[in-house]
Amino acid sequence: MIGKTVQNESAPVTYGLIILCCVIFLIGPAAGLNPAYGTGDELLVAQRAYFRRWGVVPVELFTGSPRAALTPLTALFVHGSWLHLLGNMLFLFVFGAMAEERMGHVEFALFYVGCGYVALGAYAATHAGSPQSLVGASGAISAVLGAFLFLFPRARVTSLFPFLFFLPLRFPAWVTLPFWVSLQWLAAGRETSGPGVAYLAHLVGFGVGFGYAWGRHGRRARVKGPVPAPEGEKQS
């Protein structure tokens, strides 16, 4: 999905989050660029230790440890691979700026962190015996998508669907985002506690984000008249 806002409003929180996540990734072991972490097996060991330290480990989260209780926050800024990072940052870039403009900078920052914490915590609670580390901003970004759906349901988003040979097609958010949620729901049904994508965190984040926008902003927050497009989208 790609888009562009017609306003020239700044979105310092959105862009700051993107920069912070990228910097943390580049200096960490997952990027494979920092010689301090070594290479080969040494690098793999460093990656596992890094994810365990800064990521959510469900079996440890509810032990009462203050350090473990903070990991749903630190995990939001850690990513496991280049693809993981770039995919999350693309979605945040596309949808974050408009949501931030509507909510305000401080509220958006608190919303992002709070929803991300809840999403990762919910995943950990349903996989309480898992020793696998969970990292990534996708729970928080899913909340941004949920809020975006409520706030801008008619905003048109260019989407690429594999079963349509990746043809770029434009659909309103009320079509594209529920379709995305449906895919997450189907994938969550096959989810295990092992390594992989935390689809349940996506679903929880999306639901919490949508519910927050509904309860906090209500119908008054919906756009009247022409609807701006997300970041990167040419307005027609």
Side-chain angles (χ1 to χ4, degrees):
M1 300 177 186
I2 53 176
K4 178 182 180 181
T5 45
V6 292
Q7 299 100 330
N8 291 319
E9 301 291 342
S10 63
V13 175
T14 296
Y15 302 139
L17 287 169
I18 292 173
I19 292 171
L20 182 59
C21 286
C22 289
V23 170
I24 290 175
F25 179 79
L26 291 174
I27 64 177
L33 301 178
N34 190 337
Y37 293 105
T39 59
D41 292 341
E42 184 182 7
L43 177 59
L44 293 177
V45 171
Q47 290 173 348
R48 286 194 292 268
Y50 185 82
F51 296 148
R52 190 167 188 86
R53 178 180 181 182
W54 301 111
V56 177
V57 181
V59 73
E60 298 176 359
L61 181 59
F62 303 105
T63 61
S65 165
R67 189 202 68 81
L70 289 175
T71 55
L73 297 180
T74 58
L76 293 176
F77 303 95
V78 178
H79 291 82
S81 68
W82 285 94
L83 183 62
H84 189 202
L85 172 74
L86 295 176
N88 276 349
M89 295 304 100
L90 174 62
F91 272 83
L92 181 56
F93 174 75
V94 169
F95 295 100
M98 284 176 62
E100 179 182 347
E101 181 185 344
R102 179 55 54 84
M103 292 182 181
H105 307 315
V106 174
E107 181 183 346
F108 180 78
L110 295 175
F111 163 83
Y112 181 92
V113 172
C115 290
Y117 191 104
V118 170
L120 293 178
Y123 177 90
T126 58
H127 299 82
S130 173
Q132 299 292 339
S133 302
L134 177 65
V135 297
S138 55
I141 295 170
S142 296
V144 173
L145 301 186
F148 188 95
L149 176 60
F150 179 81
L151 296 172
F152 306 100
R154 294 182 290 116
R156 300 185 71 83
V157 179
T158 298
S159 306
L160 303 176
F161 296 100
F163 57 85
L164 293 177
F165 304 102
F166 294 98
L167 292 175
L169 301 174
R170 295 184 68 200
F171 296 100
W174 66 264
V175 172
T176 302
L177 294 179
F179 178 79
W180 178 84
V181 171
S182 299
L183 295 180
Q184 307 307 300
W185 179 272
L186 293 174
R190 300 188 297 271
E191 192 173 61
T192 67
S193 60
V197 179
Y199 294 105
L200 179 61
H202 299 178
L203 292 172
V204 172
F206 189 92
V208 172
F210 186 91
Y212 175 88
W214 187 0
R216 174 70 175 83
H217 293 275
R219 295 185 60 86
R220 290 175 299 176
R222 290 178 179 263
V223 173
K224 304 296 183 181
V227 182
E231 283 293 339
E233 177 76 34
K234 292 182 179 179
Q235 189 74 9
S236 62

Short mmCIF file of all heavy atoms in Angstrom, two decimals, residues 102-164:
data_model
loop_
_atom_site.label_atom_id
_atom_site.label_comp_id
_atom_site.label_asym_id
_atom_site.label_seq_id
_atom_site.Cartn_x
_atom_site.Cartn_y
_atom_site.Cartn_z
N ARG A 102 -4.57 13.96 12.95
CA ARG A 102 -5.92 14.02 13.51
C ARG A 102 -5.90 13.95 15.04
O ARG A 102 -6.64 14.67 15.72
CB ARG A 102 -6.75 12.87 12.94
CG ARG A 102 -8.19 12.82 13.47
CD ARG A 102 -8.92 14.14 13.26
NE ARG A 102 -8.88 14.55 11.87
CZ ARG A 102 -9.73 14.12 10.93
NH1 ARG A 102 -10.68 13.27 11.25
NH2 ARG A 102 -9.62 14.54 9.70
N MET A 103 -5.05 13.09 15.61
CA MET A 103 -5.03 12.91 17.06
C MET A 103 -4.25 14.00 17.78
O MET A 103 -4.56 14.36 18.91
CB MET A 103 -4.40 11.55 17.41
CG MET A 103 -5.20 10.34 17.02
SD MET A 103 -4.35 8.83 17.56
CE MET A 103 -5.49 7.57 16.96
N GLY A 104 -3.21 14.50 17.13
CA GLY A 104 -2.27 15.38 17.81
C GLY A 104 -1.02 14.58 18.17
O GLY A 104 -1.07 13.37 18.36
N HIS A 105 0.10 15.28 18.28
CA HIS A 105 1.38 14.59 18.43
C HIS A 105 1.49 13.80 19.73
O HIS A 105 1.87 12.64 19.73
CB HIS A 105 2.52 15.61 18.35
CG HIS A 105 2.48 16.47 17.13
ND1 HIS A 105 2.23 15.96 15.86
CD2 HIS A 105 2.62 17.81 16.97
CE1 HIS A 105 2.25 16.94 14.98
NE2 HIS A 105 2.48 18.07 15.63
N VAL A 106 1.16 14.43 20.85
CA VAL A 106 1.31 13.76 22.14
C VAL A 106 0.35 12.59 22.26
O VAL A 106 0.74 11.48 22.67
CB VAL A 106 1.09 14.76 23.31
CG1 VAL A 106 1.10 14.02 24.65
CG2 VAL A 106 2.16 15.85 23.29
N GLU A 107 -0.90 12.80 21.89
CA GLU A 107 -1.88 11.72 21.97
C GLU A 107 -1.49 10.55 21.07
O GLU A 107 -1.60 9.39 21.46
CB GLU A 107 -3.27 12.22 21.56
CG GLU A 107 -4.34 11.14 21.65
CD GLU A 107 -5.70 11.61 21.19
OE1 GLU A 107 -5.89 12.83 21.05
OE2 GLU A 107 -6.57 10.75 20.96
N PHE A 108 -1.00 10.86 19.87
CA PHE A 108 -0.61 9.79 18.96
C PHE A 108 0.55 8.98 19.53
O PHE A 108 0.57 7.75 19.43
CB PHE A 108 -0.22 10.36 17.60
CG PHE A 108 0.21 9.33 16.60
CD1 PHE A 108 -0.74 8.56 15.93
CD2 PHE A 108 1.55 9.12 16.33
CE1 PHE A 108 -0.34 7.59 15.01
CE2 PHE A 108 1.96 8.16 15.42
CZ PHE A 108 1.00 7.39 14.75
N ALA A 109 1.52 9.66 20.14
CA ALA A 109 2.67 8.95 20.72
C ALA A 109 2.22 8.02 21.84
O ALA A 109 2.64 6.85 21.90
CB ALA A 109 3.69 9.96 21.24
N LEU A 110 1.35 8.51 22.72
CA LEU A 110 0.85 7.68 23.81
C LEU A 110 -0.02 6.54 23.28
O LEU A 110 0.04 5.41 23.79
CB LEU A 110 0.06 8.54 24.80
CG LEU A 110 0.88 9.60 25.55
CD1 LEU A 110 -0.04 10.47 26.40
CD2 LEU A 110 1.95 8.95 26.41
N PHE A 111 -0.82 6.85 22.27
CA PHE A 111 -1.67 5.84 21.64
C PHE A 111 -0.82 4.73 21.05
O PHE A 111 -1.08 3.54 21.25
CB PHE A 111 -2.50 6.52 20.54
CG PHE A 111 -3.10 5.58 19.54
CD1 PHE A 111 -4.29 4.93 19.82
CD2 PHE A 111 -2.50 5.37 18.31
CE1 PHE A 111 -4.85 4.06 18.88
CE2 PHE A 111 -3.05 4.52 17.38
CZ PHE A 111 -4.24 3.86 17.67
N TYR A 112 0.23 5.09 20.33
CA TYR A 112 1.10 4.12 19.67
C TYR A 112 1.75 3.19 20.69
O TYR A 112 1.70 1.95 20.56
CB TYR A 112 2.16 4.87 18.87
CG TYR A 112 3.13 4.01 18.10
CD1 TYR A 112 2.86 3.65 16.78
CD2 TYR A 112 4.31 3.56 18.68
CE1 TYR A 112 3.75 2.86 16.06
CE2 TYR A 112 5.20 2.79 17.97
CZ TYR A 112 4.92 2.44 16.66
OH TYR A 112 5.81 1.66 15.96
N VAL A 113 2.36 3.77 21.71
CA VAL A 113 3.06 2.96 22.71
C VAL A 113 2.08 2.13 23.53
O VAL A 113 2.31 0.94 23.78
CB VAL A 113 3.89 3.88 23.63
CG1 VAL A 113 4.47 3.09 24.80
CG2 VAL A 113 5.02 4.54 22.84
N GLY A 114 0.96 2.74 23.94
CA GLY A 114 -0.01 2.03 24.76
C GLY A 114 -0.64 0.85 24.03
O GLY A 114 -0.74 -0.26 24.58
N CYS A 115 -1.06 1.08 22.80
CA CYS A 115 -1.68 -0.01 22.03
C CYS A 115 -0.67 -1.10 21.71
O CYS A 115 -1.00 -2.29 21.72
CB CYS A 115 -2.29 0.54 20.74
SG CYS A 115 -3.74 1.58 20.98
N GLY A 116 0.57 -0.69 21.42
CA GLY A 116 1.60 -1.68 21.17
C GLY A 116 1.86 -2.55 22.38
O GLY A 116 2.03 -3.77 22.27
N TYR A 117 1.88 -1.94 23.55
CA TYR A 117 2.08 -2.69 24.80
C TYR A 117 0.94 -3.69 25.00
O TYR A 117 1.19 -4.86 25.33
CB TYR A 117 2.15 -1.72 25.97
CG TYR A 117 2.62 -2.35 27.27
CD1 TYR A 117 3.91 -2.14 27.73
CD2 TYR A 117 1.77 -3.15 28.03
CE1 TYR A 117 4.36 -2.70 28.91
CE2 TYR A 117 2.20 -3.74 29.20
CZ TYR A 117 3.49 -3.51 29.64
OH TYR A 117 3.92 -4.10 30.81
N VAL A 118 -0.28 -3.25 24.81
CA VAL A 118 -1.44 -4.12 24.99
C VAL A 118 -1.41 -5.29 24.00
O VAL A 118 -1.67 -6.44 24.37
CB VAL A 118 -2.75 -3.32 24.84
CG1 VAL A 118 -3.95 -4.26 24.79
CG2 VAL A 118 -2.90 -2.34 25.98
N ALA A 119 -1.07 -5.00 22.74
CA ALA A 119 -1.05 -6.04 21.72
C ALA A 119 -0.01 -7.12 22.03
O ALA A 119 -0.29 -8.33 21.96
CB ALA A 119 -0.77 -5.43 20.34
N LEU A 120 1.19 -6.70 22.41
CA LEU A 120 2.23 -7.67 22.74
C LEU A 120 1.91 -8.41 24.03
O LEU A 120 2.16 -9.61 24.14
CB LEU A 120 3.59 -6.97 22.85
CG LEU A 120 4.14 -6.38 21.56
CD1 LEU A 120 5.46 -5.67 21.81
CD2 LEU A 120 4.34 -7.46 20.51
N GLY A 121 1.34 -7.69 25.00
CA GLY A 121 0.95 -8.34 26.24
C GLY A 121 -0.13 -9.38 26.03
O GLY A 121 -0.11 -10.45 26.66
N ALA A 122 -1.10 -9.08 25.16
CA ALA A 122 -2.17 -10.04 24.88
C ALA A 122 -1.63 -11.29 24.21
O ALA A 122 -2.04 -12.41 24.53
CB ALA A 122 -3.23 -9.38 23.99
N TYR A 123 -0.69 -11.09 23.28
CA TYR A 123 -0.08 -12.26 22.63
C TYR A 123 0.65 -13.11 23.66
O TYR A 123 0.53 -14.34 23.68
CB TYR A 123 0.89 -11.81 21.55
CG TYR A 123 1.60 -12.97 20.88
CD1 TYR A 123 1.06 -13.58 19.75
CD2 TYR A 123 2.81 -13.46 21.39
CE1 TYR A 123 1.70 -14.65 19.15
CE2 TYR A 123 3.46 -14.52 20.79
CZ TYR A 123 2.89 -15.12 19.68
OH TYR A 123 3.52 -16.18 19.09
N ALA A 124 1.41 -12.46 24.54
CA ALA A 124 2.16 -13.19 25.57
C ALA A 124 1.22 -13.94 26.51
O ALA A 124 1.51 -15.07 26.92
CB ALA A 124 3.04 -12.23 26.36
N ALA A 125 0.08 -13.33 26.84
CA ALA A 125 -0.87 -13.97 27.76
C ALA A 125 -1.46 -15.24 27.16
O ALA A 125 -1.73 -16.21 27.87
CB ALA A 125 -1.98 -12.99 28.12
N THR A 126 -1.66 -15.25 25.85
CA THR A 126 -2.25 -16.43 25.20
C THR A 126 -1.19 -17.48 24.86
O THR A 126 -1.54 -18.58 24.44
CB THR A 126 -3.00 -16.03 23.92
OG1 THR A 126 -2.10 -15.36 23.03
CG2 THR A 126 -4.17 -15.12 24.25
N HIS A 127 0.08 -17.12 25.01
CA HIS A 127 1.18 -18.07 24.80
C HIS A 127 2.09 -18.04 26.02
O HIS A 127 3.32 -17.97 25.91
CB HIS A 127 1.98 -17.71 23.54
CG HIS A 127 1.18 -17.74 22.27
ND1 HIS A 127 0.37 -16.70 21.88
CD2 HIS A 127 1.07 -18.69 21.31
CE1 HIS A 127 -0.21 -17.01 20.72
NE2 HIS A 127 0.19 -18.20 20.36
N ALA A 128 1.46 -18.10 27.19
CA ALA A 128 2.19 -17.85 28.44
C ALA A 128 3.33 -18.82 28.70
O ALA A 128 4.25 -18.49 29.45
CB ALA A 128 1.21 -17.88 29.61
N GLY A 129 3.29 -20.00 28.13
CA GLY A 129 4.36 -20.96 28.36
C GLY A 129 5.46 -20.93 27.34
O GLY A 129 6.41 -21.73 27.42
N SER A 130 5.38 -20.00 26.38
CA SER A 130 6.36 -19.97 25.30
C SER A 130 7.66 -19.28 25.73
O SER A 130 7.63 -18.20 26.31
CB SER A 130 5.79 -19.23 24.09
OG SER A 130 6.79 -19.07 23.10
N PRO A 131 8.81 -19.89 25.41
CA PRO A 131 10.09 -19.25 25.69
C PRO A 131 10.61 -18.43 24.51
O PRO A 131 11.71 -17.89 24.57
CB PRO A 131 11.00 -20.45 25.95
CG PRO A 131 10.47 -21.51 25.02
CD PRO A 131 8.98 -21.30 24.96
N GLN A 132 9.83 -18.34 23.43
CA GLN A 132 10.25 -17.63 22.23
C GLN A 132 10.15 -16.11 22.42
O GLN A 132 9.18 -15.60 22.97
CB GLN A 132 9.41 -18.04 21.02
CG GLN A 132 9.50 -19.51 20.67
CD GLN A 132 10.87 -19.89 20.14
OE1 GLN A 132 11.62 -19.03 19.67
NE2 GLN A 132 11.20 -21.17 20.21
N SER A 133 11.16 -15.40 21.94
CA SER A 133 11.16 -13.94 22.03
C SER A 133 10.26 -13.34 20.95
O SER A 133 10.21 -13.83 19.82
CB SER A 133 12.58 -13.39 21.85
OG SER A 133 13.45 -13.94 22.82
N LEU A 134 9.56 -12.29 21.31
CA LEU A 134 8.67 -11.58 20.39
C LEU A 134 9.15 -10.14 20.27
O LEU A 134 9.26 -9.43 21.27
CB LEU A 134 7.23 -11.62 20.89
CG LEU A 134 6.19 -10.86 20.09
CD1 LEU A 134 6.03 -11.49 18.71
CD2 LEU A 134 4.85 -10.87 20.82
N VAL A 135 9.45 -9.71 19.05
CA VAL A 135 9.91 -8.34 18.82
C VAL A 135 9.16 -7.74 17.64
O VAL A 135 8.59 -8.47 16.82
CB VAL A 135 11.43 -8.28 18.54
CG1 VAL A 135 12.22 -8.77 19.74
CG2 VAL A 135 11.79 -9.08 17.29
N GLY A 136 9.14 -6.41 17.55
CA GLY A 136 8.56 -5.74 16.40
C GLY A 136 7.46 -4.77 16.77
O GLY A 136 6.82 -4.89 17.81
N ALA A 137 7.25 -3.82 15.87
CA ALA A 137 6.26 -2.76 16.08
C ALA A 137 4.90 -3.07 15.47
O ALA A 137 4.03 -2.22 15.47
CB ALA A 137 6.80 -1.45 15.47
N SER A 138 4.71 -4.29 14.96
CA SER A 138 3.50 -4.55 14.19
C SER A 138 2.23 -4.44 15.01
O SER A 138 1.17 -4.08 14.47
CB SER A 138 3.59 -5.94 13.53
OG SER A 138 3.84 -6.94 14.49
N GLY A 139 2.27 -4.75 16.32
CA GLY A 139 1.08 -4.58 17.13
C GLY A 139 0.66 -3.12 17.22
O GLY A 139 -0.53 -2.79 17.10
N ALA A 140 1.64 -2.24 17.43
CA ALA A 140 1.35 -0.81 17.50
C ALA A 140 0.90 -0.27 16.14
O ALA A 140 -0.03 0.55 16.05
CB ALA A 140 2.58 -0.04 17.98
N ILE A 141 1.56 -0.72 15.07
CA ILE A 141 1.20 -0.25 13.73
C ILE A 141 -0.17 -0.76 13.33
O ILE A 141 -0.94 -0.06 12.67
CB ILE A 141 2.28 -0.68 12.72
CG1 ILE A 141 3.60 0.03 13.07
CG2 ILE A 141 1.87 -0.35 11.30
CD1 ILE A 141 4.79 -0.47 12.31
N SER A 142 -0.53 -1.97 13.76
CA SER A 142 -1.88 -2.48 13.51
C SER A 142 -2.91 -1.59 14.19
O SER A 142 -4.01 -1.37 13.65
CB SER A 142 -1.99 -3.92 14.01
OG SER A 142 -1.13 -4.78 13.30
N ALA A 143 -2.57 -1.06 15.36
CA ALA A 143 -3.48 -0.13 16.05
C ALA A 143 -3.65 1.15 15.24
O ALA A 143 -4.75 1.70 15.16
CB ALA A 143 -2.94 0.19 17.44
N VAL A 144 -2.57 1.60 14.62
CA VAL A 144 -2.66 2.78 13.75
C VAL A 144 -3.61 2.49 12.58
O VAL A 144 -4.42 3.34 12.19
CB VAL A 144 -1.26 3.18 13.23
CG1 VAL A 144 -1.37 4.30 12.19
CG2 VAL A 144 -0.38 3.62 14.39
N LEU A 145 -3.52 1.28 12.01
CA LEU A 145 -4.43 0.92 10.91
C LEU A 145 -5.87 0.91 11.39
O LEU A 145 -6.78 1.36 10.67
CB LEU A 145 -4.06 -0.47 10.36
CG LEU A 145 -2.65 -0.66 9.80
CD1 LEU A 145 -2.52 -2.04 9.16
CD2 LEU A 145 -2.29 0.42 8.81
N GLY A 146 -6.10 0.38 12.60
CA GLY A 146 -7.47 0.36 13.13
C GLY A 146 -8.02 1.76 13.32
O GLY A 146 -9.17 2.05 12.96
N ALA A 147 -7.20 2.65 13.88
CA ALA A 147 -7.64 4.03 14.06
C ALA A 147 -7.87 4.71 12.72
O ALA A 147 -8.83 5.47 12.55
CB ALA A 147 -6.59 4.79 14.88
N PHE A 148 -6.98 4.43 11.77
CA PHE A 148 -7.12 5.03 10.44
C PHE A 148 -8.44 4.61 9.80
O PHE A 148 -9.12 5.42 9.17
CB PHE A 148 -5.95 4.58 9.56
CG PHE A 148 -5.88 5.28 8.22
CD1 PHE A 148 -5.07 6.40 8.05
CD2 PHE A 148 -6.61 4.82 7.14
CE1 PHE A 148 -5.02 7.05 6.82
CE2 PHE A 148 -6.56 5.45 5.91
CZ PHE A 148 -5.76 6.58 5.76
N LEU A 149 -8.81 3.35 9.94
CA LEU A 149 -10.07 2.86 9.36
C LEU A 149 -11.25 3.63 9.91
O LEU A 149 -12.17 4.00 9.15
CB LEU A 149 -10.23 1.37 9.63
CG LEU A 149 -11.55 0.75 9.15
CD1 LEU A 149 -11.73 0.90 7.65
CD2 LEU A 149 -11.63 -0.72 9.57
N PHE A 150 -11.26 3.90 11.21
CA PHE A 150 -12.38 4.64 11.77
C PHE A 150 -12.34 6.12 11.36
O PHE A 150 -13.37 6.70 11.02
CB PHE A 150 -12.38 4.55 13.29
CG PHE A 150 -13.51 5.33 13.91
CD1 PHE A 150 -14.79 4.80 13.96
CD2 PHE A 150 -13.31 6.62 14.39
CE1 PHE A 150 -15.85 5.54 14.49
CE2 PHE A 150 -14.35 7.36 14.93
CZ PHE A 150 -15.63 6.82 14.98
N LEU A 151 -11.16 6.70 11.40
CA LEU A 151 -11.04 8.14 11.15
C LEU A 151 -11.17 8.51 9.67
O LEU A 151 -11.69 9.56 9.33
CB LEU A 151 -9.70 8.65 11.69
CG LEU A 151 -9.50 8.55 13.20
CD1 LEU A 151 -8.07 8.91 13.56
CD2 LEU A 151 -10.49 9.42 13.95
N PHE A 152 -10.66 7.64 8.80
CA PHE A 152 -10.62 7.94 7.36
C PHE A 152 -11.13 6.75 6.54
O PHE A 152 -10.41 6.21 5.70
CB PHE A 152 -9.19 8.27 6.92
CG PHE A 152 -8.53 9.36 7.72
CD1 PHE A 152 -7.62 9.03 8.73
CD2 PHE A 152 -8.80 10.69 7.48
CE1 PHE A 152 -7.00 10.01 9.47
CE2 PHE A 152 -8.18 11.69 8.22
CZ PHE A 152 -7.29 11.35 9.23
N PRO A 153 -12.36 6.31 6.75
CA PRO A 153 -12.83 5.11 6.06
C PRO A 153 -12.90 5.25 4.55
O PRO A 153 -12.82 4.26 3.82
CB PRO A 153 -14.23 4.88 6.65
CG PRO A 153 -14.66 6.25 7.12
CD PRO A 153 -13.40 6.91 7.61
N ARG A 154 -13.04 6.49 4.05
CA ARG A 154 -13.17 6.69 2.61
C ARG A 154 -11.86 7.06 1.92
O ARG A 154 -11.83 7.25 0.71
CB ARG A 154 -14.23 7.77 2.33
CG ARG A 154 -15.63 7.36 2.76
CD ARG A 154 -16.67 8.42 2.44
NE ARG A 154 -16.50 9.60 3.27
CZ ARG A 154 -16.19 10.82 2.81
NH1 ARG A 154 -16.00 11.00 1.52
NH2 ARG A 154 -16.08 11.84 3.64
N ALA A 155 -10.77 7.17 2.68
CA ALA A 155 -9.48 7.47 2.07
C ALA A 155 -9.08 6.32 1.15
O ALA A 155 -9.15 5.16 1.52
CB ALA A 155 -8.42 7.67 3.15
N ARG A 156 -8.67 6.64 -0.08
CA ARG A 156 -8.36 5.61 -1.07
C ARG A 156 -6.88 5.24 -0.96
O ARG A 156 -6.00 6.09 -0.91
CB ARG A 156 -8.71 6.08 -2.47
CG ARG A 156 -10.19 6.42 -2.62
CD ARG A 156 -10.56 6.76 -4.05
NE ARG A 156 -10.54 5.59 -4.91
CZ ARG A 156 -11.54 4.73 -5.02
NH1 ARG A 156 -12.65 4.90 -4.32
NH2 ARG A 156 -11.46 3.70 -5.83
N VAL A 157 -6.64 3.93 -0.95
CA VAL A 157 -5.30 3.38 -0.78
C VAL A 157 -4.98 2.48 -1.97
O VAL A 157 -5.80 1.65 -2.36
CB VAL A 157 -5.20 2.57 0.52
CG1 VAL A 157 -3.80 1.98 0.68
CG2 VAL A 157 -5.55 3.43 1.72
N THR A 158 -3.80 2.68 -2.56
CA THR A 158 -3.36 1.79 -3.63
C THR A 158 -2.87 0.50 -3.02
O THR A 158 -1.99 0.50 -2.16
CB THR A 158 -2.24 2.43 -4.46
OG1 THR A 158 -2.75 3.62 -5.07
CG2 THR A 158 -1.76 1.49 -5.56
N SER A 159 -3.43 -0.62 -3.47
CA SER A 159 -3.12 -1.93 -2.88
C SER A 159 -2.63 -2.89 -3.94
O SER A 159 -3.02 -2.81 -5.12
CB SER A 159 -4.36 -2.51 -2.20
OG SER A 159 -4.91 -1.60 -1.27
N LEU A 160 -1.77 -3.81 -3.51
CA LEU A 160 -1.25 -4.86 -4.38
C LEU A 160 -1.71 -6.20 -3.84
O LEU A 160 -1.39 -6.57 -2.71
CB LEU A 160 0.28 -4.81 -4.43
CG LEU A 160 0.91 -3.49 -4.87
CD1 LEU A 160 2.43 -3.58 -4.77
CD2 LEU A 160 0.50 -3.16 -6.30
N PHE A 161 -2.48 -6.95 -4.63
CA PHE A 161 -3.00 -8.23 -4.20
C PHE A 161 -2.32 -9.35 -5.00
O PHE A 161 -2.38 -9.35 -6.24
CB PHE A 161 -4.51 -8.31 -4.41
CG PHE A 161 -5.28 -7.33 -3.57
CD1 PHE A 161 -5.74 -6.14 -4.11
CD2 PHE A 161 -5.53 -7.58 -2.24
CE1 PHE A 161 -6.44 -5.22 -3.35
CE2 PHE A 161 -6.23 -6.67 -1.45
CZ PHE A 161 -6.69 -5.50 -2.01
N PRO A 162 -1.70 -10.34 -4.32
CA PRO A 162 -1.00 -11.41 -5.04
C PRO A 162 -1.90 -12.17 -6.02
O PRO A 162 -1.47 -12.51 -7.12
CB PRO A 162 -0.52 -12.32 -3.90
CG PRO A 162 -0.42 -11.41 -2.71
CD PRO A 162 -1.54 -10.42 -2.87
N PHE A 163 -3.15 -12.44 -5.60
CA PHE A 163 -4.03 -13.23 -6.47
C PHE A 163 -4.53 -12.43 -7.68
O PHE A 163 -5.17 -12.99 -8.56
CB PHE A 163 -5.22 -13.78 -5.68
CG PHE A 163 -6.05 -12.73 -5.00
CD1 PHE A 163 -7.06 -12.07 -5.67
CD2 PHE A 163 -5.79 -12.40 -3.67
CE1 PHE A 163 -7.82 -11.11 -5.04
CE2 PHE A 163 -6.56 -11.43 -3.03
CZ PHE A 163 -7.57 -10.79 -3.71
N LEU A 164 -4.23 -11.13 -7.73
CA LEU A 164 -4.54 -10.31 -8.90
C LEU A 164 -3.25 -9.89 -9.61
O LEU A 164 -3.18 -8.86 -10.25
CB LEU A 164 -5.33 -9.06 -8.48
CG LEU A 164 -6.74 -9.32 -7.94
CD1 LEU A 164 -7.40 -8.03 -7.50
CD2 LEU A 164 -7.61 -10.03 -8.98
#
